[in-house]
Amino acid sequence: MAAGRGAEPKVHTEGPASNFAYSSSSRNIAAAQAAAAAAVPGAPGSPASVGFHREPMYNWQATKSSVKERFSFLFNNELLSDVRFIVGKGRQAQRIPAHKFVLAAGSAVFDAMFNGGMATTSTEIELPDVEPAAFLSLLRFLYSDEVHIGPETVMTTLYTAKKYAVPALEVHCVEFLTKHLRADNAFMLLTQARLFDEPQLASLCLDTIDKSTADAISAEGFTDIDLDTLCAVLERDSLGIRESRLFAAVVRWAEAECHRQQLPLTAENKQKVLGKALSLIRFPLMTIEEFAAGPAQSGILFDREVVNLFLHFTVNPKPRVDYIDKPRCCLRGKECSINRFQQVESRWGYSGTSDRIRFTVTKKIFIVGFGLYGSIHGPTDYQVNIQIIESDKNQTLGQNDTGFSCDGTANTFRVMFKEPIEILPNISYTACATLKGPDSHYGTKGLKKVIHESAAGTKTCFFFFSSPGNNNGTSVEDGQIPEIIFYT
């Protein structure tokens, strides 16, 4: 992916990519000005000139052993220059010298500017929409093939590379962004990728959002996106998050948008700024408890919509609702569950220690919750923390502090994670449940291997292993966590 013939261009990346910004700040050009000697004489208040080389003029060519060295020497140098650019606005503007031949050889836009039918005859050209640091990065690349980009200049450099049709530098900018793409900056970079028409970067941002949806929507950049970007994300079938949590994030975005539009924070205004985005929330995918606790009380939905959705959850045949009920891609198909016990007994006590069981699977699944046993003393409420841990790394992949109500029977009771948890084949995971409440039922005659077969004939095998260490007593043979609830 060389920008020219010969060796690959040198790429210099500056600093950690903790923050990308498209800003008019000039603090990042300090390094480019460090070698400045003196400003070119000019009228008071004229743009400052970037520092130029002050090496001896005579026979300087003899000290440069290659064409690249000679052209690199001419970068940002008054020597032999035949055009100057006034780059930036106001007091931040800078006068930068250049050489028409070099620029025209590297950019069709510059070639047209200097040699086309409408070529300029001016020796001083104003570029108020370009950042000085980004323009210097562009010139350095054209003169030497070297790439100097950092987290605070990459966006402005990308803009400048696109403006002057230098695709090789554009590729380096996109690669830099891709390398530093994370869940906490995915939405901000997605906005920039759409603004600069970079479909490859946009696709990578969306993939990152799919894989780490909860982290991405929790990041500061989520509430800064525009409505079209929000809709583009909500339309996706592949988001890895429960719909109730996605709705809460969308409400946060609506509140931020009301602030941007200087609108009072009323339910009506939130509904107004959301517009078409509201119809992309898949309310039918929520449980009735999730819907009742969030959307039903938000005021964002009309009363008739709330009633219709409650009917959708509770009656058959279900009334038609104007919301998508197709599961997100990671939750494709019907909800599945397996039970690892063949018999139920009583009693199982709790003292604050987690019940744990290790397991592996033979194909990728998404776990959405557990089925747990409830009280032997009649209807009771439990507090519970559920977790899934990648055993070898001791890394918690998902957890939820919640509760559940039981009716005193030996049935299992659903306890759900906030978002689906991706489980990969042949990796050891530990399912944990820490209950606070009275003695409960428990399972016995446990199975080491449980096979789930879908309607299409696809098989998913679970293998269970006892979890050593701090365990309330659950094992392969008996204990808690009888059911795993999942999608394929």
Side-chain angles (χ1 to χ4, degrees):
M1 191 175 54
R5 298 171 187 250
E8 290 283 321
K10 293 182 180 178
V11 179
H12 304 268
T13 57
E14 303 161 1
S18 59
N19 180 41
F20 298 99
Y22 186 80
S23 135
S24 59
S25 170
S26 62
R27 64 183 181 276
N28 300 302
I29 61 173
Q33 293 178 306
V40 172
S46 63
S49 297
V50 177
F52 307 134
H53 295 286
R54 297 297 182 187
E55 295 188 28
M57 300 280 186
Y58 177 71
N59 202 24
W60 62 269
Q61 296 88 342
T63 67
K64 314 299 177 188
S65 61
S66 67
V67 171
K68 180 178 179 181
E69 286 187 23
R70 290 190 285 276
F71 275 87
S72 296
F73 174 74
L74 294 175
F75 162 67
N76 195 23
N77 196 328
E78 286 279 15
L79 183 63
L80 302 180
S81 68
D82 52 1
V83 66
R84 292 177 182 82
F85 293 91
I86 309 302
V87 186
K89 294 179 180 179
R91 300 183 64 178
Q92 305 297 335
Q94 295 181 8
R95 182 181 286 109
I96 299 174
H99 306 78
K100 293 180 180 179
F101 169 75
V102 177
L103 271 57
S107 160
V109 175
F110 283 126
D111 189 19
M113 183 185 294
F114 301 132
N115 305 311
M118 302 289 288
T120 180
T121 57
S122 175
T123 58
E124 203 163 81
I125 299 170
E126 294 186 359
L127 303 177
D129 64 323
V130 177
E131 287 282 334
F135 194 70
L136 285 168
S137 293
L138 174 73
L139 294 190
R140 187 188 298 274
F141 185 76
L142 295 179
Y143 278 78
S144 67
D145 274 353
E146 292 186 6
V147 181
H148 281 243
I149 49 179
E152 294 189 354
T153 60
V154 62
M155 287 300 182
T156 51
T157 302
L158 176 59
Y159 167 78
T160 308
K162 293 183 79 72
K163 178 181 175 71
Y164 293 103
V166 185
L169 180 58
E170 183 183 332
V171 167
H172 284 293
C173 291
V174 172
E175 285 184 342
F176 180 90
L177 293 169
T178 301
K179 180 180 178 182
H180 296 94
L181 173 61
R182 304 183 308 271
D184 62 0
N185 62 25
F187 274 108
M188 187 276 294
L189 292 182
L190 175 61
T191 299
Q192 300 291 348
R194 288 166 61 88
L195 175 66
F196 293 132
D197 190 26
E198 289 291 344
Q200 179 187 2
L201 177 60
S203 177
L204 291 170
C205 290
L206 289 169
D207 287 344
T208 300
I209 291 167
D210 286 345
K211 293 174 182 176
S212 305
T213 311
D215 290 336
I217 67 170
S218 298
E220 185 177 344
F222 170 73
T223 56
D224 295 331
I225 63 177
D226 59 87
L227 179 61
D228 286 342
T229 302
L230 177 66
C231 291
V233 172
L234 294 179
E235 288 172 348
R236 294 178 69 77
D237 292 333
S238 44
L239 299 180
I241 191 168
R242 294 194 67 79
E243 211 69 21
S244 57
R245 192 167 182 189
L246 188 61
F247 174 78
V250 168
V251 171
R252 280 196 298 112
W253 180 91
E255 291 170 351
E257 183 65 14
C258 284
H259 283 301
R260 284 190 287 268
Q261 296 188 24
Q262 299 182 334
L263 297 172
L265 280 180
T266 64
E268 291 77 12
N269 285 334
K270 293 176 190 176
Q271 184 186 66
K272 176 183 176 182
V273 299
L274 281 171
K276 59 184 178 181
L278 190 59
S279 66
L280 300 175
I281 300 293
R282 305 184 184 188
F283 295 104
L285 299 186
M286 299 180 186
T287 66
I288 188 171
E289 294 83 6
E290 290 171 337
F291 180 75
Q297 300 183 45
S298 68
I300 293 177
L301 295 174
F302 292 117
D303 290 344
R304 58 177 173 77
E305 294 175 309
V306 173
V307 171
N308 282 344
L309 282 163
F310 269 125
L311 292 173
H312 176 84
F313 291 126
T314 56
V315 302
N316 283 303
K318 297 184 182 300
R320 180 182 175 276
V321 292
D322 295 326
Y323 295 99
I324 303 169
D325 60 1
K326 176 185 176 184
R328 304 285 180 181
C329 183
C330 67
L331 303 182
R332 184 179 295 136
K334 292 185 177 180
E335 182 180 281
C336 310
S337 67
I338 54 100
N339 192 319
R340 64 191 188 90
F341 293 123
Q342 302 177 77
Q343 189 171 317
V344 182
E345 300 287 351
S346 60
R347 71 180 54 209
W348 197 260
Y350 303 99
S351 59
T353 303
S354 299
D355 283 284
R356 294 169 175 251
I357 188 70
R358 287 193 302 127
F359 67 95
T360 61
V361 294
T362 54
K363 63 178 295 184
K364 183 170 76 171
I365 62 172
F366 290 87
I367 290 181
V368 294
F370 300 147
L372 300 179
Y373 291 120
S375 172
I376 60 174
H377 302 295
T380 309
D381 293 334
Y382 282 87
Q383 288 181 297
V384 61
N385 172 273
I386 57 172
Q387 295 182 334
I388 289 184
I389 299 169
E390 187 172 338
S391 305
D392 294 340
K393 296 181 180 179
N394 196 29
Q395 178 183 358
T396 301
L397 303 181
Q399 66 173 333
N400 192 18
D401 286 299
T402 184
F404 69 95
S405 299
C406 65
D407 58 9
T409 67
N411 295 331
T412 57
F413 301 91
R414 292 159 59 91
V415 183
M416 309 302 284
F417 288 101
K418 292 180 179 179
E419 58 272 336
I421 300 169
E422 183 181 56
I423 302 296
L424 299 176
N426 306 316
I427 293 177
S428 176
Y429 299 91
T430 303
C432 307
T434 308
L435 282 81
K436 292 182 181 179
D439 293 350
S440 73
H441 295 89
Y442 71 96
T444 62
K445 296 186 179 180
L447 301 169
K448 292 183 177 180
K449 178 181 179 180
V450 179
I451 300 176
H452 179 274
E453 185 170 354
S454 70
T458 303
K459 293 183 178 180
T460 305
C461 297
F462 289 75
F463 296 92
F464 293 97
F465 311 88
S466 294
S467 180
N470 192 22
N471 192 335
N472 192 49
T474 286
S475 65
V476 173
E477 291 76 22
D478 53 27
Q480 258 285 15
I481 319 179
E483 288 184 343
I484 294 178
I485 306 168
F486 65 99
Y487 285 81
T488 57

